[in-house]
Amino acid sequence: QVGAADLPAALARIKAETRAAAKERQALREDLANYHASRLLVEDPPHQDLRIVRRVFSDRDADYVKLLASRLISAAPHTVALLASTQQQPQQSDPLATVVVACSQEQGRNAGELLRTALAPSGGRGGGSATLAQGLVSPEKLAATLDALEALLRAKAVPAT
């Protein structure tokens, strides 16, 4: 037990420990994303100067999927990451999958445009920059959205803007 006089010091200590634990958790998450990206790059070699890494994660949140996508495109040239998380976000009322598209800069693609084009038929929404974009789609339409993204990439139908 903590006495009333010791309460401010105990709260300060708990806050400091919580901040330190959060920093350590983030560092471990980043390390995991680096190792995960390395493994995925080995599993998915490039074909005709294009490497498409496509995965759906049920056990990872949207923030981790974005971090992983970013690590993938920074670790290898000519790489496009098509990643999704089906893990329910606390703030979502309806179950939605998060789709993340990341394009390495030399690929000459615009991730935001690719994603908007692929989400339009399914009524999904999203956007982002030329290198990283994020959107939401119903889980039933996730596979079709990823298929559409992959088809756009392979057809080279959406140039960078």
Side-chain angles (χ1 to χ4, degrees):
Q1 285 191 351
V2 176
D6 298 328
L7 194 55
L11 286 173
R13 180 181 48 78
I14 290 170
K15 284 182 181 179
E17 289 172 358
T18 301
R19 280 193 298 274
K23 282 183 182 179
E24 182 179 6
R25 180 178 182 266
Q26 183 59 30
L28 291 170
R29 195 170 163 100
E30 290 176 15
D31 286 346
L32 176 62
N34 288 334
Y35 289 119
H36 201 171
S38 296
R39 189 187 87 216
L40 292 175
L41 291 171
V42 169
E43 290 176 6
D44 295 329
H47 297 286
Q48 299 175 352
D49 217 20
L50 174 64
R51 177 194 322 260
I52 298 175
V53 178
R54 176 179 168 168
R55 297 289 188 288
V56 176
F57 299 95
S58 61
D59 61 342
R60 300 286 177 205
D61 64 15
D63 288 338
Y64 178 80
V65 172
K66 282 190 335 191
L67 176 62
L68 178 58
S70 176
R71 299 306 168 138
L72 282 164
I73 64 167
S74 66
H78 306 288
T79 298
V80 177
L82 305 178
L83 306 179
S85 169
T86 57
Q87 188 176 73
Q88 184 69 21
Q89 300 298 312
Q91 68 274 18
Q92 290 176 343
S93 57
D94 297 327
L96 293 171
T98 300
V99 179
V100 176
V101 178
C103 302
S104 56
Q105 287 184 340
E106 71 285 333
Q107 193 59 42
R109 301 304 185 127
N110 185 311
E113 288 299 317
L114 282 166
L115 185 61
R116 279 189 290 278
T117 301
L119 288 175
S122 66
R125 61 187 193 277
S129 70
T131 56
L132 185 67
Q134 174 180 332
L136 298 172
V137 68
S138 70
E140 301 81 32
K141 296 178 181 177
L142 178 59
T145 300
L146 293 173
D147 289 344
L149 282 163
E150 195 164 341
L152 285 168
L153 287 165
R154 296 207 186 278
K156 300 188 179 213
V158 180
T161 55

